[in-house]
Amino acid sequence: MLLTWIAEVADEPLVLEPTDPRVEWETNTWWLGAEDEDRRALSVSEVIAAFEQTAEGIRLRIREMGFAGIATFYVWHDEQAGQLRCSTGSVAADELPFGGAYVPSDDLGAVIEGFLSDRAPGLIAWSDLEVEDGQAEQAAPESEAAPIPVWVRSVGAVSR
């Protein structure tokens, strides 16, 4: 099913509105999950090929729309939700609308490998949680999460 859903993203509604990134995010962002059986049956290369085809389909749609600006298709593994997520925005790869740190990459394999090998999607081990002792706000500086890897592909008429 995952490969079918990835392919369908290329045909879903697509909005490129540089003055309204919220509308782009709400319209163009997709959450993709997979059952354990699907995760075990798929190879990293199959999922990569599906996303590359989807990116190409989106690039062709953007060309047909006559959009003349920058556009980026991007994919990341949301470990907390146990999902792959993808979106398209009228921004460069270094301007994606993430609230936290991320690293744009052309290595989709690492993103997909993390998703397919996640045997407890959406669950976080107790050992990965930090204990708060009530004084955390005053005594300890806020720790920064590691930047998430995000596969990016330029799909607009202009690339940067």
Side-chain angles (χ1 to χ4, degrees), residues 4-79:
T4 300
W5 292 332
I6 293 168
E8 289 174 352
V9 168
D11 298 321
E12 292 293 338
L14 179 65
V15 173
L16 294 174
E17 186 56 57
T19 61
D20 197 345
R22 185 183 58 77
V23 169
E24 285 186 351
W25 178 262
E26 290 173 359
T27 305
N28 302 341
T29 304
W30 299 98
W31 298 258
L32 307 166
E35 298 295 327
D36 287 340
E37 185 177 313
D38 207 11
R39 287 174 193 260
R40 286 190 300 269
L42 290 170
S43 70
V44 171
S45 60
E46 288 174 306
V47 179
I48 288 172
F51 273 118
E52 287 177 342
Q53 286 182 305
T54 294
E56 180 61 16
I58 290 171
R59 187 186 67 75
L60 292 172
R61 284 183 63 201
I62 289 171
R63 179 184 291 169
E64 291 169 2
M65 292 168 53
F67 183 77
I70 294 170
T72 303
F73 176 71
Y74 52 105
V75 178
W76 70 102
H77 175 205
D78 183 330
E79 291 183 40

Side-chain angles (χ1 to χ4, degrees), residues 58-145:
I58 290 171
R59 187 186 67 75
L60 292 172
R61 284 183 63 201
I62 289 171
R63 179 184 291 169
E64 291 169 2
M65 292 168 53
F67 183 77
I70 294 170
T72 303
F73 176 71
Y74 52 105
V75 178
W76 70 102
H77 175 205
D78 183 330
E79 291 183 40
Q80 289 182 324
Q83 300 169 330
L84 284 174
R85 298 200 176 174
C86 61
S87 192
T88 305
S90 58
V91 294
D94 61 350
E95 298 172 343
L96 300 177
F98 285 100
Y102 71 96
V103 177
S105 172
D106 60 0
D107 181 13
L108 182 53
V111 174
I112 302 305
E113 177 62 39
F115 172 75
L116 291 179
S117 66
D118 188 351
R119 295 297 168 222
L123 298 177
I124 300 174
W126 282 105
S127 60
D128 292 340
L129 298 175
E130 292 183 20
V131 178
E132 186 167 323
D133 62 6
Q135 298 178 8
E137 290 181 32
Q138 298 170 358
E142 190 173 311
S143 63
E144 289 188 35

